[in-house]
Amino acid sequence: MDAVARRALRVAAVMTTSPAPVDFERACLAWETKSGSHGRSHGRWRLLASTLLWPDRQAEPTRHVLAAMVMAGDVYGAGRLPHDPPYSYQMIVSADRHAIVRAYPLDGAGRDTAGANSEIFTRLTIHAPALNAERLDLAALTTDRIDRAWPLTARIASPTGSEPRWQADFPVGHINVAQGGRFQVETGPILLPGAALEGMSAAAIDGFLLAYAFFNRADGADLLLWQRSGAARAYSRFARLDGVSIELFGRGQD
């Protein structure tokens, strides 16, 4: 069997057990805004994370994605382009809704908004292409294997039998590997449904949580959640996910 055929079989094996992981190198939002002073505006926005949410066992999953955080600007302006006072923002998006998450570093304000996509956009499309990837054995990670497989995509899935079922994909920003099968991933931000963590509704934005993730085993992760901390907002609230399923994906071995 040649290398192409072996790769195809590995990808097929991943896809038969669960939806294929997202290729974040190519994933993006594409949109067209309603007409304004400059007419309609078209654009693209890089994606950082994706979560599939199954409302029940019979329903098809809905995809929710997290766009990269950027500093806000006066689009098509002729003077100073950054907003004053400055703030950063990003979006949580599904096929029907969006939430805009804002952070004002100077006064600590966080004026988030949420609504139907049709309020702002004539078109908003999520491009989340499947990754041609092989699942890595977490118990046998080595420096050489990481080098060959890079870049990596991680997946955290809800505990078996939990409702609603969810599955979060995100690129790995940082990983350490040592002898004896030891590893640790530190990355983010990732996107989780509020149902993933009980008692964290105060940190939820339109039903979703933003977090940085830390994990060194296949069944649990530590999180730092985005929330208000004093006058500012930060990734500062600790939470732990137990009983989940964690996987890593990367380029296959020919």
Side-chain angles (χ1 to χ4, degrees):
M1 183 182 297
D2 62 21
V4 173
R6 290 197 301 271
R7 175 69 63 82
L9 287 174
R10 288 194 294 263
V11 172
V14 170
M15 295 183 67
T16 55
T17 56
S18 61
V22 174
D23 184 349
F24 288 101
E25 295 291 307
R26 297 187 291 143
C28 68
L29 288 178
W31 72 86
E32 178 185 86
T33 61
K34 292 186 175 181
S35 293
S37 58
H38 298 286
R40 293 183 179 182
S41 185
H42 303 254
R44 297 251 171 177
W45 204 337
R46 185 170 65 90
L47 297 182
L48 298 181
S50 171
T51 294
L52 292 178
L53 182 62
W54 286 259
D56 56 59
R57 294 182 184 276
Q58 287 73 41
E60 290 295 316
T62 57
R63 186 178 297 278
H64 304 259
V65 296
L66 178 66
M69 182 170 277
V70 297
M71 296 297 293
D74 178 18
V75 178
Y76 309 130
R80 173 189 169 115
L81 294 185
H83 273 297
D84 188 17
Y87 70 92
S88 57
Y89 73 106
Q90 62 191 136
M91 290 210 305
I92 301 169
V93 180
S94 69
D96 302 315
R97 286 184 61 80
H98 68 274
I100 303 176
V101 184
R102 299 178 178 88
Y104 291 75
L106 297 183
D107 63 11
R111 293 181 283 274
D112 303 330
T113 55
N117 293 342
S118 58
E119 294 176 1
I120 300 176
F121 304 98
T122 59
R123 177 177 62 87
L124 183 61
T125 305
I126 297 172
H127 292 287
L131 181 68
N132 185 4
E134 177 181 327
R135 185 186 292 110
L136 305 183
D137 183 355
L138 297 185
L141 292 179
T142 64
T143 299
D144 288 344
R145 184 68 187 100
I146 295 300
D147 288 346
R148 293 194 301 272
W150 191 265
L152 305 181
T153 295
R155 169 173 290 172
I156 301 178
S158 54
T160 301
S162 65
E163 296 288 349
R165 179 187 168 200
W166 53 267
Q167 177 179 285
D169 287 1
F170 47 92
V172 171
H174 182 227
I175 184 171
N176 286 286
V177 179
Q179 292 181 343
R182 292 177 295 167
F183 75 95
Q184 182 156 320
V185 169
E186 298 154 351
T187 196
I190 71 172
L191 183 67
L192 294 170
L197 292 166
E198 294 183 2
M200 296 295 176
S201 58
I205 302 168
D206 205 34
F208 283 82
L209 300 166
L210 304 184
Y212 272 77
F214 308 74
F215 56 87
N216 54 23
R217 55 194 176 98
D219 61 354
D222 285 352
L223 306 172
L224 287 176
L225 300 174
W226 172 254
Q227 66 150 27
R228 187 167 298 284
S229 179
R233 303 176 79 182
Y235 287 96
S236 58
R237 184 172 183 178
F238 176 80
R240 176 164 286 171
L241 284 172
D242 285 315
V244 294
S245 172
I246 296 179
E247 298 171 290
L248 289 179
F249 300 88
R251 290 186 298 170
Q253 301 182 80
D254 295 330

